[in-house]
Amino acid sequence: MNTPPSKIICVGRNYADHARELGNEIPDRPVLFIKPPSSLVALEAGISWNTAWGSCHYECELSLRIDRPLQGETDAQKALQAVGAVTLGLDLTLRDLQDQLKKKGQPWERAKAFDGACMLADWIDVSEVKAWDQLRFNFQVNDEIRQQGDTSLLIFNIADLLVDINQVFSLQPGDVIMTGTPAGVAALTFGDQLTMTLHGQTQDFVWKTFVK
Ligand code: ZN
Protein backbone atom coordinates (compact mmCIF):
# COMPACT_ATOMS: atom_id res chain seq x y z
CA MET A 1 0.00 0.00 0.00
CA ASN A 2 1.39 3.36 -0.97
CA THR A 3 -1.17 5.85 0.27
CA PRO A 4 0.66 9.09 1.10
CA PRO A 5 0.34 10.06 4.76
CA SER A 6 -2.08 12.78 5.83
CA LYS A 7 0.38 13.43 8.66
CA ILE A 8 3.54 12.13 10.28
CA ILE A 9 3.25 12.04 14.05
CA CYS A 10 6.55 12.21 15.90
CA VAL A 11 7.29 11.29 19.50
CA GLY A 12 9.92 13.32 21.34
CA ARG A 13 12.03 12.16 24.31
CA ASN A 14 10.95 8.51 24.23
CA TYR A 15 14.39 7.15 25.19
CA ALA A 16 15.59 8.31 28.61
CA ASP A 17 19.24 8.45 27.54
CA HIS A 18 18.35 10.76 24.64
CA ALA A 19 16.19 13.04 26.80
CA ARG A 20 19.16 13.36 29.18
CA GLU A 21 21.72 14.09 26.46
CA LEU A 22 19.72 17.18 25.43
CA GLY A 23 19.12 18.21 29.04
CA ASN A 24 15.37 17.50 28.86
CA GLU A 25 13.19 16.07 31.61
CA ILE A 26 11.80 12.55 31.29
CA PRO A 27 8.20 13.20 30.20
CA ASP A 28 5.21 11.79 32.11
CA ARG A 29 3.22 11.51 28.88
CA PRO A 30 4.42 11.33 25.26
CA VAL A 31 5.74 14.55 23.71
CA LEU A 32 4.04 14.75 20.30
CA PHE A 33 4.57 16.91 17.25
CA ILE A 34 3.67 16.63 13.56
CA LYS A 35 5.58 16.81 10.32
CA PRO A 36 3.51 17.54 7.20
CA PRO A 37 3.67 15.32 4.09
CA SER A 38 5.61 18.15 2.38
CA SER A 39 8.56 17.43 4.71
CA LEU A 40 9.14 13.99 3.12
CA VAL A 41 12.25 13.42 1.04
CA ALA A 42 13.41 10.22 -0.66
CA LEU A 43 16.54 8.34 0.45
CA GLU A 44 17.97 8.74 -3.07
CA ALA A 45 17.55 12.52 -2.98
CA GLY A 46 19.90 12.93 -0.01
CA ILE A 47 19.75 15.39 2.86
CA SER A 48 20.08 19.15 2.58
CA TRP A 49 18.97 22.14 4.61
CA ASN A 50 19.32 25.90 4.71
CA THR A 51 22.65 26.32 6.52
CA ALA A 52 21.72 29.91 7.40
CA TRP A 53 19.73 28.28 10.23
CA GLY A 54 22.71 26.46 11.68
CA SER A 55 23.27 22.76 12.34
CA CYS A 56 21.06 19.87 11.23
CA HIS A 57 21.00 16.83 13.55
CA TYR A 58 20.07 13.28 12.56
CA GLU A 59 17.58 11.36 14.73
CA CYS A 60 17.10 7.78 13.53
CA GLU A 61 13.73 6.36 14.58
CA LEU A 62 11.61 3.24 14.22
CA SER A 63 8.62 4.33 12.13
CA LEU A 64 5.19 2.71 11.78
CA ARG A 65 2.69 2.88 8.94
CA ILE A 66 -1.00 2.78 9.77
CA ASP A 67 -2.96 0.62 7.32
CA ARG A 68 -6.42 0.71 8.89
CA PRO A 69 -8.39 3.72 10.20
CA LEU A 70 -8.17 4.14 13.95
CA GLN A 71 -10.22 6.54 16.01
CA GLY A 72 -10.27 6.89 19.78
CA GLU A 73 -9.02 3.31 20.21
CA THR A 74 -8.35 2.38 23.83
CA ASP A 75 -7.54 -1.30 23.31
CA ALA A 76 -3.79 -1.72 22.84
CA GLN A 77 -4.05 -4.95 20.83
CA LYS A 78 -6.59 -3.47 18.43
CA ALA A 79 -4.40 -0.40 18.01
CA LEU A 80 -1.38 -2.59 17.18
CA GLN A 81 -3.40 -4.47 14.59
CA ALA A 82 -3.79 -1.25 12.59
CA VAL A 83 -0.04 -1.13 11.94
CA GLY A 84 0.76 -2.67 8.55
CA ALA A 85 4.44 -1.91 8.05
CA VAL A 86 7.57 -0.65 9.76
CA THR A 87 10.74 1.04 8.64
CA LEU A 88 13.44 3.40 9.87
CA GLY A 89 13.25 7.13 9.37
CA LEU A 90 15.27 10.25 10.02
CA ASP A 91 13.64 13.02 12.03
CA LEU A 92 15.95 15.76 10.76
CA THR A 93 16.20 18.65 13.17
CA LEU A 94 17.69 22.14 12.87
CA ARG A 95 19.08 21.92 16.40
CA ASP A 96 20.41 25.47 16.81
CA LEU A 97 17.10 26.89 15.61
CA GLN A 98 15.13 24.46 17.80
CA ASP A 99 17.13 25.60 20.84
CA GLN A 100 16.26 29.22 20.05
CA LEU A 101 12.57 28.35 19.60
CA LYS A 102 12.49 26.37 22.86
CA LYS A 103 13.99 29.30 24.77
CA LYS A 104 11.27 31.59 23.41
CA GLY A 105 8.54 29.04 24.13
CA GLN A 106 7.70 28.88 20.43
CA PRO A 107 6.57 25.83 18.38
CA TRP A 108 9.25 23.63 16.79
CA GLU A 109 7.91 23.47 13.22
CA ARG A 110 10.55 25.74 11.73
CA ALA A 111 13.19 23.34 13.04
CA LYS A 112 11.46 20.00 12.42
CA ALA A 113 8.76 20.34 9.74
CA PHE A 114 10.63 22.11 6.93
CA ASP A 115 10.82 20.65 3.41
CA GLY A 116 13.23 17.71 3.58
CA ALA A 117 12.92 17.25 7.37
CA CYS A 118 11.59 13.69 7.13
CA MET A 119 13.26 10.79 5.36
CA LEU A 120 11.64 7.35 5.47
CA ALA A 121 13.23 4.13 4.22
CA ASP A 122 11.26 1.41 2.41
CA TRP A 123 8.29 -0.12 4.21
CA ILE A 124 8.75 -3.64 5.57
CA ASP A 125 5.74 -5.86 6.20
CA VAL A 126 4.78 -6.04 9.86
CA SER A 127 5.31 -9.83 9.76
CA GLU A 128 9.04 -9.02 10.16
CA VAL A 129 8.26 -7.83 13.71
CA LYS A 130 8.62 -10.77 16.07
CA ALA A 131 7.64 -8.75 19.14
CA TRP A 132 6.99 -5.02 19.48
CA ASP A 133 9.28 -4.79 22.53
CA GLN A 134 12.18 -6.63 20.85
CA LEU A 135 12.91 -4.51 17.78
CA ARG A 136 16.48 -3.30 17.37
CA PHE A 137 18.11 -0.96 14.88
CA ASN A 138 21.24 1.07 14.43
CA PHE A 139 22.42 4.16 12.60
CA GLN A 140 25.89 4.67 11.18
CA VAL A 141 27.66 7.79 9.97
CA ASN A 142 30.58 6.93 7.66
CA ASP A 143 30.61 3.34 9.00
CA GLU A 144 30.75 4.38 12.67
CA ILE A 145 27.74 3.32 14.74
CA ARG A 146 26.28 6.45 16.34
CA GLN A 147 22.84 5.31 17.51
CA GLN A 148 21.43 2.01 18.71
CA GLY A 149 17.69 1.63 19.17
CA ASP A 150 15.91 -1.08 21.14
CA THR A 151 12.17 -0.91 21.71
CA SER A 152 12.55 -2.63 25.09
CA LEU A 153 14.08 0.68 26.27
CA LEU A 154 11.23 2.96 25.18
CA ILE A 155 9.72 5.07 27.95
CA PHE A 156 6.30 4.65 26.26
CA ASN A 157 5.99 1.33 24.44
CA ILE A 158 4.52 1.05 20.95
CA ALA A 159 1.04 -0.07 22.07
CA ASP A 160 0.73 2.66 24.71
CA LEU A 161 1.96 5.25 22.22
CA LEU A 162 -0.67 4.28 19.66
CA VAL A 163 -3.47 4.45 22.22
CA ASP A 164 -2.26 7.80 23.58
CA ILE A 165 -1.82 9.30 20.10
CA ASN A 166 -5.23 8.04 19.02
CA GLN A 167 -6.95 9.92 21.85
CA VAL A 168 -5.66 13.12 20.22
CA PHE A 169 -5.37 12.34 16.50
CA SER A 170 -7.52 10.00 14.44
CA LEU A 171 -5.29 7.93 12.18
CA GLN A 172 -5.90 7.25 8.48
CA PRO A 173 -4.31 4.61 6.26
CA GLY A 174 -0.88 5.88 5.22
CA ASP A 175 -0.29 7.92 8.37
CA VAL A 176 3.16 7.50 9.89
CA ILE A 177 4.31 7.42 13.51
CA MET A 178 7.98 8.06 14.34
CA THR A 179 8.54 6.54 17.76
CA GLY A 180 11.47 8.57 19.10
CA THR A 181 15.25 8.50 18.88
CA PRO A 182 17.88 6.88 21.12
CA ALA A 183 20.96 8.71 22.39
CA GLY A 184 23.78 9.67 20.05
CA VAL A 185 22.25 12.49 18.01
CA ALA A 186 24.73 14.92 16.45
CA ALA A 187 25.21 17.37 13.62
CA LEU A 188 25.48 16.17 10.03
CA THR A 189 28.26 17.40 7.77
CA PHE A 190 28.50 17.63 3.99
CA GLY A 191 29.45 14.38 2.33
CA ASP A 192 28.45 12.16 5.28
CA GLN A 193 27.41 8.67 4.18
CA LEU A 194 24.56 7.38 6.35
CA THR A 195 23.40 3.80 6.92
CA MET A 196 20.24 2.67 8.73
CA THR A 197 19.90 -1.00 9.71
CA LEU A 198 16.71 -2.60 11.04
CA HIS A 199 16.99 -6.11 12.48
CA GLY A 200 13.90 -7.94 11.21
CA GLN A 201 12.66 -11.39 12.13
CA THR A 202 14.19 -13.09 9.06
CA GLN A 203 16.88 -10.65 7.93
CA ASP A 204 18.56 -7.29 8.40
CA PHE A 205 17.25 -4.42 6.30
CA VAL A 206 19.89 -1.88 5.33
CA TRP A 207 19.35 1.52 3.71
CA LYS A 208 21.84 4.17 2.70
CA THR A 209 21.61 7.89 2.11
CA PHE A 210 23.94 10.88 2.20
CA VAL A 211 24.31 14.55 3.01
CA LYS A 212 24.62 16.60 -0.16
ZN1 ZN B 1 12.84 12.66 16.90
Side-chain angles (χ1 to χ4, degrees), residues 90-105:
L90 293 174
D91 165 17
L92 297 164
T93 303
L94 300 177
R95 190 71 72 200
D96 300 323
L97 180 58
Q98 187 197 26
D99 288 344
Q100 293 167 24
L101 295 168
K102 277 178 170 175
K103 277 191 196 122
K104 292 179 186 165

Side-chain angles (χ1 to χ4, degrees), residues 59 61 91 112:
E59 296 188 0
E61 313 198 2
D91 165 17
K112 277 187 172 281

Side-chain angles (χ1 to χ4, degrees), residues 46-174:
I47 294 167
S48 62
W49 68 97
N50 183 348
T51 53
W53 295 111
S55 67
C56 181
H57 275 204
Y58 57 80
E59 296 188 0
C60 185
E61 313 198 2
L62 176 71
S63 303
L64 318 175
R65 189 188 69 201
I66 300 297
D67 277 11
R68 274 185 265 156
L70 210 55
Q71 190 169 11
E73 184 57 67
T74 54
D75 183 296
Q77 286 312 310
K78 284 188 188 153
L80 285 174
Q81 284 162 13
V83 179
V86 298
T87 193
L88 294 177
L90 293 174
D91 165 17
L92 297 164
T93 303
L94 300 177
R95 190 71 72 200
D96 300 323
L97 180 58
Q98 187 197 26
D99 288 344
Q100 293 167 24
L101 295 168
K102 277 178 170 175
K103 277 191 196 122
K104 292 179 186 165
Q106 293 181 2
W108 298 352
E109 275 85 348
R110 284 177 178 274
K112 277 187 172 281
F114 60 95
D115 285 4
C118 184
M119 184 176 268
L120 294 172
D122 305 314
W123 291 109
I124 303 299
D125 190 84
V126 76
S127 61
E128 281 289 338
V129 178
K130 186 172 73 175
W132 285 109
D133 60 352
Q134 291 174 32
L135 267 173
R136 291 180 302 112
F137 61 92
N138 71 57
F139 177 71
Q140 292 164 258
V141 179
N142 303 323
D143 297 328
E144 180 191 340
I145 292 184
R146 298 284 190 89
Q147 291 193 284
Q148 290 182 291
D150 178 343
T151 54
S152 73
L153 302 176
L154 293 175
I155 297 170
F156 302 102
N157 69 38
I158 303 293
D160 291 347
L161 273 182
L162 285 169
V163 166
D164 179 74
I165 286 169
N166 206 213
Q167 306 316 302
V168 186
F169 304 107
S170 61
L171 295 168
Q172 279 91 46

Side-chain angles (χ1 to χ4, degrees), residues 2 19 21 38 93 108 118 164 166 185 188 196:
N2 280 310
E21 77 178 342
S38 53
T93 303
W108 298 352
C118 184
D164 179 74
N166 206 213
V185 302
L188 291 165
M196 299 185 270

